[in-house]
């Protein structure tokens, strides 16, 4: 794997953490929306309120990461071919959707498979034989 790709994966991982945090699973241990607070029940006393402290910081961080991810060297990792219409789709944009399927194997394990498509194209995804559409 080359350096650009590694950097891209690192940034998108960070972006994902920020998005989870914005949705209410904060990774700031001082925050009342800290994602592991249930595990820390007894001694846990958050001092910050998510809406007033973290959200602003998270949005600033997200913007900074999105700016980095807009660099030319990341284009080929960021834009993927839509599984339906074959045109490029921005995998970090709001029009991107992963349609996923699951299949129950003989050993009772579930196999997962997903294709990235435009939101608009998602209704046209053909479900392969033997697979079921999954909500994940
Ligand atoms: Zn927070
Ligand atoms: Zn498409």
């Amino acid at each position: 794997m080359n350096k650009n790709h590694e950097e891209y994966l690192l940034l998108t991982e960070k972006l994902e953490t920020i998005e989870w945090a914005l949705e209410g699973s904060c990774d700031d241990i001082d925050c009342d929306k800290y994602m592991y607070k249930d595990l820390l029940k007894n001694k846990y006393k958050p001092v910050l309120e998510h809406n007033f402290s973290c959200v602003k910081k998270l949005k600033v961080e997200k913007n900074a990461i999105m700016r980095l991810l807009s660099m030319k060297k990341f284009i080929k990792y960021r834009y993927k071919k839509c599984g339906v219409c074959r045109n490029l789709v921005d995998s970090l944009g709001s029009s991107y959707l992963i349609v996923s399927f699951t299949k129950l194997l003989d050993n009772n394990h579930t196999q997962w498979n997903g294709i990235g498509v435009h939101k608009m194209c998602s209704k046209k995804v053909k479900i392969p034989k033997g697979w079921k559409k999954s909500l994940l």
Side-chain angles (χ1 to χ4, degrees), residues 73-129:
K73 62 179 180 178
F74 296 133
I75 284 179
K76 66 174 170 186
Y77 308 116
R78 181 168 169 178
Y79 289 83
K80 300 179 192 308
K81 247 187 197 156
C82 169
V84 173
C85 71
R86 313 309 293 169
N87 289 316
L88 289 178
V89 51
D90 178 4
S91 66
L92 302 176
S94 56
S95 60
Y96 182 71
L97 189 80
I98 292 178
V99 179
S100 51
F101 310 106
T102 54
K103 184 161 99 173
L104 197 64
L105 303 174
D106 293 337
N107 58 10
N108 265 333
H109 285 112
T110 307
Q111 196 182 346
W112 183 92
N113 197 0
I115 34 173
V117 295
H118 292 107
K119 225 171 232 169
M120 272 166 47
C121 294
S122 64
K123 286 191 184 73
K124 289 185 236 157
V125 171
K126 288 201 186 77
I127 299 160
K129 224 180 159 186

Side-chain angles (χ1 to χ4, degrees), residues 41-55:
K41 248 173 250 164
N42 296 329
K43 282 167 260 161
Y44 182 59
K45 284 195 183 63
V47 292
L48 303 171
E49 229 176 296
H50 188 60
N51 284 336
F52 296 112
S53 53
C54 306
V55 170

Side-chain angles (χ1 to χ4, degrees), residues 26 28 31 33 50 54:
C26 198
D28 187 334
C31 172
K33 286 270 197 312
H50 188 60
C54 306

Side-chain angles (χ1 to χ4, degrees), residues 4-5 7-16 19 62-79 90 92:
N4 285 347
H5 199 186
E7 205 183 335
Y8 179 80
L9 292 178
L10 198 82
L11 287 168
T12 47
E13 215 171 274
K14 180 76 189 147
L15 183 67
E16 218 166 86
E19 271 164 1
K62 184 177 170 175
N63 283 338
I65 288 181
M66 286 309 284
R67 260 201 313 279
L68 290 171
L69 285 168
S70 304
M71 287 193 289
K72 221 169 149 190
K73 62 179 180 178
F74 296 133
I75 284 179
K76 66 174 170 186
Y77 308 116
R78 181 168 169 178
Y79 289 83
D90 178 4
L92 302 176

